[in-house]
Amino acid sequence: MTDYRNLRVALLGAGSVGSQTARLLLEHADELASRVGARLELAGVAVRNLSATRDVQLPAELYTTDAEALIESSDIVVELMGGIEPARTYIIQALTSGADVITANKALLAEHGTELFALADRVGAQLYYEASVAAAIPILRPLRDSLAGDRINRVMGIVNGSTNYILDRMDRYGDSAEDAAQTALELGFLEADPTLDVEGFDAAQKVTILASLAFHTRVPVSAVYREGITGVTLDQIRAAKNAGYVIKLLAIAERLTDPETGADAISARVYPALISREHPLASVYEGKNAVFVEAEAAGSLMFYGAGAGGVETASAVMGDLVSAARRHVAGGPGLAQNAHADLPLLPVGAINTRYHITLRVADEPGVLARVASVLATHGVSVENVLQTVPDAADADGTATLVIGTHTAREAALAATVKELAVIGVVRAVSSVLRVEGI
Amino acid sequence: MTDYRNLRVALLGAGSVGSQTARLLLEHADELASRVGARLELAGVAVRNLSATRDVQLPAELYTTDAEALIESSDIVVELMGGIEPARTYIIQALTSGADVITANKALLAEHGTELFALADRVGAQLYYEASVAAAIPILRPLRDSLAGDRINRVMGIVNGSTNYILDRMDRYGDSAEDAAQTALELGFLEADPTLDVEGFDAAQKVTILASLAFHTRVPVSAVYREGITGVTLDQIRAAKNAGYVIKLLAIAERLTDPETGADAISARVYPALISREHPLASVYEGKNAVFVEAEAAGSLMFYGAGAGGVETASAVMGDLVSAARRHVAGGPGLAQNAHADLPLLPVGAINTRYHITLRVADEPGVLARVASVLATHGVSVENVLQTVPDAADADGTATLVIGTHTAREAALAATVKELAVIGVVRAVSSVLRVEGI
Ligand SMILES: NC(=O)c1ccc[n+]([C@@H]2O[C@H](COP(=O)([O-])OP(=O)(O)OC[C@H]3O[C@@H](n4cnc5c(N)ncnc54)[C@H](OP(=O)(O)O)[C@@H]3O)[C@@H](O)[C@H]2O)c1
Ligand SMILES: NC(=O)c1ccc[n+]([C@@H]2O[C@H](COP(=O)([O-])OP(=O)(O)OC[C@H]3O[C@@H](n4cnc5c(N)ncnc54)[C@H](OP(=O)(O)O)[C@@H]3O)[C@@H](O)[C@H]2O)c1
């Protein structure tokens, strides 16, 4: 047996992800040692409650409530507690003491990433966070390293498993939004408080992380345009299906041209949108995640896999841990983060995309002409129109008009919809959905 | 403008990939410099023919036929000539002189990888080769780094675009094999000499590279079991389609248990196989590539994108180039390759998979019982049976029997088929295809 030096690994948290990370570390100790060239010694596991019963059995002496002492005596610190505090303080302590840090904490990175990366750079330590976006899927390292010599134009991800599960149930099984959410809750796809997921906050946190890696720039999470899935109806999903689309909650980070300056700018946004059933993202079912990347040279790429789960997330944590450990063994400085571009962030009004507008209109001659003229006034051009004649269900004698537009500027579309809502022949604007993907 | 030091980059080859790499290097020079912290100076481009007209216009003074002098004066050498010699000699020269090397040359790595990686380790230089498998798709770095703390059980890839294009035409458009190959040739998906592609040699080269990264072990390309697509008929594809499957040429590297020793062993193989239309690999169309990975903790992952093309492949080369350059700037030793496991390679007879067997049988009572008893003798259990009665097309009065088996050992299946071929009621074994994916 080779004699290796030991690297002391501190684990902060032993919940879904932490306990699985501890298990993998202990079970694969020999294999990891030979891959790394050093033994990864689990120095301790910080928790709140020493007497909790846990999924994975670890030697009792590993647990501690004294996270600070544990951090102080470790080479690598793995933060899997979640939340802002004390996670932030512990990471700062670890980096300051020269330890490399691994975290899966998207909420913390979205809020305080700038501060933490700057600190890591200053002290020459590394902060790894592959698990923070799309759990098991290797997406951050490919964006940072594999595509480092290319120019990424767009990242479009299904990065929240809970909402994908709900939308998929509605689409493939015809469940109502309520039934789908209930099933998601029962199967553990949804938290007791689903707000973070269904309102798109979780996806917004992830899009800030994706955008900063893809465009070498910082995006404050508060600046991300965000719509959740609570407004998505079964009717919309059915209509989308009939037209060859599926509705997915998309997290999009895109390179645009600033119309004022002509220079590069970016957009970061989260909303439910139609995508064609031919698009690779359309067959991302259940709680799976996928990130679709468009780059100048590479063309279209997709990364697909489990977007949540204790053991799946632990896989990504372990990958970071091995990278950190190899660096310790090889020696030499870490690679600095380089968010050097500082591109301006444009509001959602500046994006260009296609739209599906569903209107309830009077069933009388000339309606289409009237509606079309409103679109024309705002420079929005029509790609296709579907008009249904009133049937038994339309007791009020109104017809449904579905308009698919060509690419238009969001601001022009918003103005169009505003005007459509008040012209006489339109009884109601039932739905406006963006269409994404080629 | 920041003052950077220069890193001298030698390019060997200015064909499809080389010329696009040169273009990206020159066009994105400033952006790359700020990402790397050093300017990547294109020191020269070695070619055979100085007066050839090329797709991308570069300053004439960059071209040289003296590759050796160019290598001698460079920090990083990018080999995009292809072939075994002189590529091998040049890479050896470059590594020996302390330069990092980037290559897309799967043929060379499959034949001489062991020698080249050992040399790189010895001299402390790095050999990068992301572009050698699945071109633009970041797959090697995720296998090596992101999944380094996990245990990969299986890698299953569509890694040859030409054959995927042909099979896809046959499946989706009902083209004959000849028509599909003709279209592939016209569209540049197939080389004038298609042997490397259609006989599975190219995929076999790639599976050795995938297996060595996934299992930290070396696999000689000569040991890869290999069947190409030349035996795949439109009838088989149609029958597969009816049964809910699609036929894809799969490159598979799998962790198995050695039946003799009970220890880990691996299988590396290339063959056309049925996969369910629900499987993520089933919707990889045209010349696209995808690699499906199953790992113990991460579960199922898929990496999808362009598997060929000059500019797409150049994207992966550029990613490696930036990694190499960042390492030069940061200083410190490179990370050693670690093919430490040296797992035994099992023959194809040792694998376990499912099968579809198509037989032409006499249309008489008791045939199914007779056939089933042959399977039972060899321990192969039947999952489903489809027997068609003879119709107008069956002038000889034979019926078709399609048997889907449960998972069976390949050796048992082979013995079964051998016996089936000689029993009286079986007129012919029309087709035996493996079924892969869950
Ligand atoms: N679960 C997933 O699928 C998933 C996927 C991707 C990313 N993540 C991220 O991974 C992180 C961990 O998630 P999780 O699901 O594993 O969380 P969890 O199950 O809630 O576990 C949290 C753990 O941290 C410990 N902890 C919390 N506050 C602490 C404190 N002040 N001092 C010491 N220990 C403390 C808890 O101790 P006690 O057990 O004693 O209460 C518990 O063991 C989060 O940032 C999450 O966003 C999770
Ligand atoms: N093309 C793809 O889609 C693709 C995808 C993945 C990987 N790859 C790999 O990338 C590598 C390059 O492929 P490619 O398609 O770019 O090849 P290519 O178009 O045939 O270009 C080869 C280049 O190398 C030069 N060259 C050949 N032998 C030379 C020698 N002895 N000395 C100096 N220069 C020499 C040629 O010079 P002249 O121009 O003067 O003849 C030419 O510029 C190969 O290993 C290939 O397997 C290619």
Side-chain angles (χ1 to χ4, degrees):
Chain A
M1 185 98 219
T2 325
D3 231 17
Y4 295 113
R5 60 179 276 219
N6 276 16
L7 285 173
R8 290 175 54 86
V9 178
L11 207 55
L12 311 183
S16 325
V17 186
S19 58
Q20 292 296 333
T21 302
R23 181 179 66 78
L24 293 173
L25 254 176
L26 297 177
E27 278 182 12
H28 296 179
D30 292 344
E31 199 163 341
L32 290 167
S34 80
R35 284 191 204 164
V36 167
R39 291 199 79 81
L40 297 173
E41 178 198 344
L42 183 54
V45 184
V47 293
R48 272 178 304 212
N49 177 2
L50 286 177
S51 54
T53 30
R54 302 182 185 278
D55 303 350
V56 174
Q57 292 302 319
L58 301 178
E61 66 273 17
L62 284 176
Y63 291 107
T64 173
T65 52
D66 189 350
E68 290 179 24
L70 178 63
I71 294 168
E72 215 46 52
S73 66
S74 298
D75 300 299
I76 301 175
V77 174
V78 183
E79 184 278 303
L80 297 169
M81 302 189 322
I84 304 298
E85 284 297 352
R88 175 178 156 277
T89 302
Y90 289 155
I91 291 180
I92 291 174
Q93 187 203 337
L95 292 171
T96 309
S97 80
D100 283 345
V101 172
I102 290 139
T103 180
N105 195 331
K106 57 229 156 198
L108 177 62
L109 291 174
E111 288 288 343
H112 297 282
T114 308
E115 170 198 21
L116 297 174
F117 291 120
L119 172 61
D121 278 6
R122 210 158 53 238
V123 301
Q126 297 272 295
L127 180 55
Y128 298 85
Y129 52 107
E130 181 65 72
S132 66
V133 180
I137 310 175
I139 175 64
L140 303 189
R141 198 176 265 104
L143 287 179
R144 194 197 54 194
D145 294 337
S146 311
L147 290 164
D150 203 334
R151 245 175 103 83
I152 297 172
N153 289 321
R154 190 143 73 138
V155 179
M156 189 157 79
I158 296 173
V159 291
N160 182 274
S162 318
T163 48
N164 198 55
Y165 188 85
I166 292 173
L167 294 175
D168 184 39
R169 291 282 323 176
M170 294 169 75
D171 179 68
R172 292 199 296 154
Y173 302 94
D175 285 9
S176 68
E178 296 68 35
D179 287 354
Q182 186 56 36
T183 311
L185 191 65
E186 282 160 16
L187 295 176
F189 281 108
L190 202 60
E191 311 264 328
D193 175 4
T195 317
L196 270 180
D197 294 322
V198 299
E199 297 292 358
F201 289 104
D202 173 78
Q205 289 168 353
K206 289 163 177 167
V207 89
T208 67
I209 298 174
L210 291 170
S212 70
L213 277 168
F215 304 122
H216 312 272
T217 195
R218 304 257 179 254
V219 178
V221 64
S222 56
V224 175
Y225 177 81
R226 184 185 46 74
E227 285 174 34
I229 65 161
T230 47
V232 179
T233 64
L234 191 54
D235 277 351
Q236 286 178 325
I237 287 181
R238 284 199 184 123
K241 196 167 189 166
N242 287 336
Y245 293 95
V246 55
I247 298 183
K248 294 287 189 188
L249 182 67
L250 299 179
I252 302 174
E254 189 177 18
R255 187 192 294 276
L256 297 172
T257 303
D258 188 332
E260 316 269 287
T261 64
D264 273 7
I266 65 164
S267 156
R269 55 198 200 262
V270 172
Y271 47 59
L274 304 182
I275 50 172
S276 158
R277 292 203 172 252
E278 308 276 290
H279 195 283
L281 285 174
S283 20
V284 176
Y285 303 125
E286 305 191 332
K288 293 284 187 182
N289 281 14
V291 182
F292 192 80
V293 179
E294 293 167 40
E296 186 184 298
S300 299
L301 300 170
M302 191 172 81
F303 303 80
Y304 163 95
V311 65
E312 292 85 350
T313 309
S315 168
V317 170
M318 291 297 296
D320 281 352
L321 187 51
V322 168
S323 290
R326 283 180 176 159
R327 195 181 79 82
H328 270 270
V329 172
L335 296 175
Q337 287 289 325
N338 47 359
H340 62 269
D342 274 326
L343 302 176
L345 192 74
L346 297 181
V348 75
I351 70 167
N352 290 287
T353 189
R354 292 176 298 141
Y355 301 84
H356 263 219
I357 309 170
T358 308
L359 305 173
R360 302 288 297 165
V361 294
D363 184 35
E364 56 189 51
V367 168
L368 182 56
R370 181 74 189 88
V371 167
S373 86
V374 173
L375 274 85
T377 316
H378 294 279
V380 176
S381 82
V382 173
E383 189 181 348
N384 53 53
V385 175
L386 185 78
Q387 179 153 18
T388 60
V389 290
D391 62 17
D394 303 299
D396 57 352
T398 56
T400 297
L401 190 63
V402 181
I403 301 166
T405 77
H406 282 292
T407 299
R409 207 175 139 87
E410 173 101 2
L413 195 280
T416 307
V417 170
K418 204 165 159 196
E419 187 173 338
L420 284 176
V422 297
I423 62 173
V425 295
V426 173
R427 300 280 182 266
V429 178
S430 325
S431 150
V432 180
L433 281 167
R434 298 171 189 89
V435 183
E436 295 285 352
I438 329 107
Chain B
M1 183 99 217
T2 327
D3 230 15
Y4 294 113
R5 60 179 277 219
N6 276 16
L7 285 173
R8 288 174 56 86
V9 177
L11 207 55
L12 311 183
S16 325
V17 186
S19 58
Q20 292 296 333
T21 303
R23 181 180 66 80
L24 293 173
L25 254 176
L26 297 176
E27 278 182 11
H28 297 177
D30 292 344
E31 200 163 339
L32 289 167
S34 79
R35 283 192 205 166
V36 167
R39 289 199 80 81
L40 297 173
E41 178 197 344
L42 183 54
V45 184
V47 293
R48 272 177 307 211
N49 177 3
L50 287 176
S51 54
T53 32
R54 303 181 184 278
D55 303 349
V56 174
Q57 294 300 319
L58 302 178
E61 66 274 16
L62 284 176
Y63 291 108
T64 174
T65 54
D66 189 350
E68 291 178 23
L70 177 61
I71 293 167
E72 217 43 55
S73 67
S74 298
D75 300 299
I76 301 175
V77 173
V78 183
E79 184 277 304
L80 297 170
M81 302 189 323
I84 304 297
E85 283 297 350
R88 175 177 156 276
T89 302
Y90 290 156
I91 291 180
I92 291 174
Q93 186 201 338
L95 291 171
T96 310
S97 81
D100 284 345
V101 172
I102 289 138
T103 181
N105 195 331
K106 55 225 154 199
L108 178 62
L109 291 174
E111 288 290 343
H112 298 281
T114 308
E115 170 198 20
L116 297 174
F117 290 120
L119 172 61
D121 277 5
R122 210 156 54 238
V123 302
Q126 298 272 294
L127 179 55
Y128 299 84
Y129 52 107
E130 181 66 71
S132 66
V133 179
I137 310 176
I139 174 66
L140 303 188
R141 199 175 264 105
L143 286 180
R144 195 196 54 196
D145 294 336
S146 312
L147 290 164
D150 203 334
R151 243 175 104 85
I152 296 172
N153 289 322
R154 190 141 76 136
V155 179
M156 189 157 79
I158 296 173
V159 292
N160 180 273
S162 318
T163 49
N164 198 55
Y165 188 85
I166 292 172
L167 294 175
D168 184 39
R169 291 281 325 174
M170 294 169 74
D171 179 69
R172 290 198 298 153
Y173 302 95
D175 284 9
S176 68
E178 298 69 36
D179 287 355
Q182 186 56 37
T183 311
L185 191 66
E186 281 161 17
L187 295 177
F189 280 109
L190 203 59
E191 312 264 327
D193 175 3
T195 316
L196 270 180
D197 294 322
V198 298
E199 298 292 357
F201 289 102
D202 173 79
Q205 289 167 354
K206 290 164 178 166
V207 90
T208 67
I209 298 173
L210 290 171
S212 69
L213 278 168
F215 305 122
H216 312 273
T217 194
R218 303 261 180 251
V219 179
V221 64
S222 57
V224 175
Y225 178 81
R226 181 186 49 74
E227 285 173 35
I229 64 162
T230 47
V232 178
T233 65
L234 191 54
D235 277 351
Q236 286 178 326
I237 287 181
R238 284 200 184 120
K241 196 167 188 165
N242 287 335
Y245 294 95
V246 55
I247 298 183
K248 295 286 189 189
L249 182 67
L250 299 179
I252 302 175
E254 190 178 16
R255 188 193 293 274
L256 297 172
T257 303
D258 188 332
E260 316 269 288
T261 63
D264 273 7
I266 66 163
S267 157
R269 54 197 201 262
V270 172
Y271 48 58
L274 304 182
I275 50 172
S276 158
R277 291 200 173 254
E278 307 276 290
H279 195 284
L281 286 174
S283 21
V284 176
Y285 303 125
E286 305 192 332
K288 294 285 187 182
N289 281 12
V291 181
F292 192 80
V293 178
E294 293 166 41
E296 187 184 298
S300 300
L301 300 169
M302 191 173 80
F303 303 80
Y304 163 96
V311 67
E312 292 85 351
T313 309
S315 167
V317 170
M318 291 297 296
D320 281 352
L321 187 50
V322 168
S323 290
R326 282 179 177 160
R327 196 180 78 83
H328 270 270
V329 171
L335 297 176
Q337 288 288 326
N338 46 358
H340 62 269
D342 273 327
L343 302 176
L345 193 73
L346 297 181
V348 74
I351 70 167
N352 289 288
T353 187
R354 292 175 299 141
Y355 301 85
H356 263 219
I357 308 169
T358 308
L359 306 173
R360 301 289 296 166
V361 295
D363 183 36
E364 57 189 50
V367 169
L368 182 56
R370 182 75 187 90
V371 167
S373 85
V374 173
L375 273 85
T377 314
H378 294 279
V380 176
S381 82
V382 174
E383 189 180 348
N384 53 53
V385 174
L386 186 77
Q387 179 154 18
T388 58
V389 290
D391 64 16
D394 304 299
D396 57 352
T398 57
T400 296
L401 190 63
V402 181
I403 300 166
T405 77
H406 282 293
T407 299
R409 205 173 140 89
E410 173 101 2
L413 197 279
T416 307
V417 170
K418 206 166 156 197
E419 186 173 339
L420 284 176
V422 297
I423 62 171
V425 295
V426 173
R427 300 281 182 265
V429 179
S430 324
S431 149
V432 180
L433 282 167
R434 299 172 188 88
V435 184
E436 295 286 353
I438 330 105

